[in-house]
Amino acid sequence: MNLQFTKILILAPHTDDGEFGCGGSIAKFIESGTEIYYAAFSLAEESVPPPFPKNILETEVKAATAILGINPDNLLLYRYQVRHFATYRQNILEDLVTLNTRIKPDLIFMPSVNDLHQDHSTIAMEGLRAFKRSSILAYEMPWNNLNFSTQSFIKLSGAQLGKKVEALKCYKSQSSKDYASEHYIKSLALTRGTQIGVKYAEVFEVVRWIF
């Protein structure tokens, strides 16, 4: 990598969003020795399909982030009600400010401000407020993005993409979703890699970049 980061914070509205948006990049940064923190703001218990137990996403996110190499102590779980983040906007902002003060991350990964999901939108907007003095990259979620600017690419090796795929396989409760298929995940990485002349990549919007 051309740039070295000491601490990176992943903002995931729900468990698995971070893996979908930047799982390969997480694996790459961890290989380079960067400390990664992963904050998930809902366990989405109301949305868990039967017959899975209501707390299944907590189990799944712990397994998935372990595959990526994230220290269990750096996995931060909150319990905001899914699809109701806007109601708790101020509380979420205060949590984000606390994370900024405590961790002092060099780089933030978060959803795009053009993400249509109401919870993702709240995390994006409050993330801008809390981390306005930090570098911020917004990750791609094509099924939610109304618009998305392909401004920054992170090259991935086959092994790094493989870790992303294996991490997402931990989410058995979410496996029925079309975008959770291994074929889709690899195809998107292949498409983004083709755009920059490599085999695999993940792409991001540059929200703020500070040198």
Side-chain angles (χ1 to χ4, degrees):
M1 287 190 173
N2 296 325
L3 296 172
Q4 292 296 318
F5 299 98
T6 303
K7 295 179 182 178
I8 293 176
L9 174 61
I10 314 299
L11 301 182
H14 315 108
T15 55
D16 80 12
D17 287 332
E19 292 91 324
F20 276 119
C22 54
S25 298
I26 291 172
K28 181 167 187 169
F29 279 114
I30 287 176
E31 284 178 12
S32 71
T34 305
E35 189 171 9
I36 302 286
Y37 291 81
Y38 187 115
F41 286 82
S42 178
L43 299 178
E45 293 176 343
E46 299 89 341
S47 300
V48 172
F52 296 99
K54 291 299 182 184
N55 67 341
I56 185 64
L57 284 165
E58 181 173 359
T59 301
E60 291 173 341
V61 72
K62 289 178 179 178
T65 52
I67 285 175
L68 294 177
I70 296 174
N71 185 326
D73 292 336
N74 292 354
L75 175 61
L76 311 165
L77 301 178
Y78 299 83
R79 297 180 180 272
Y80 288 101
Q81 186 179 3
V82 66
R83 293 186 296 276
H84 289 270
F85 282 21
T87 304
Y88 306 102
R89 182 197 65 77
Q90 184 60 33
N91 303 77
I92 289 171
L93 175 58
E94 291 171 6
D95 286 334
L96 292 169
V97 169
T98 298
L99 286 175
N100 194 18
T101 301
R102 172 188 159 194
I103 298 171
K104 296 180 175 60
D106 304 305
L107 176 62
I108 315 300
F109 285 95
M110 70 177 195
S112 169
V113 295
N114 293 310
D115 195 306
L116 291 175
H117 193 291
Q118 59 269 50
D119 293 347
H120 295 203
S121 177
T122 298
I123 293 297
M125 294 309 299
E126 301 313 318
L128 284 176
R129 292 186 174 95
F131 299 100
K132 62 186 178 184
R133 296 186 178 91
S134 303
S135 293
I136 302 172
L137 292 178
Y139 50 73
E140 178 183 31
M141 306 194 84
W143 51 95
N144 286 337
N145 295 148
L146 182 61
N147 296 296
F148 193 86
S149 298
T150 56
Q151 297 167 326
S152 178
F153 292 79
I154 295 180
K155 302 174 186 178
L156 301 180
S157 68
Q160 290 156 357
L161 178 59
K163 282 193 175 183
K164 175 176 182 171
V165 169
E166 291 307 308
L168 285 165
K169 283 181 180 179
C170 293
Y171 292 98
K172 298 188 185 304
S173 66
Q174 308 300 305
S175 61
S176 63
K177 296 176 179 177
D178 293 338
Y179 53 79
S181 75
E182 181 175 347
H183 175 72
Y184 175 77
I185 295 162
K186 288 185 174 179
S187 295
L188 183 59
L190 183 64
T191 298
R192 296 314 186 194
T194 298
Q195 288 182 273
I196 57 170
V198 301
K199 189 164 186 181
Y200 301 119
E202 289 176 331
V203 71
F204 305 91
E205 289 181 330
V206 178
V207 180
R208 177 155 291 182
W209 200 250
I210 301 172
F211 287 96

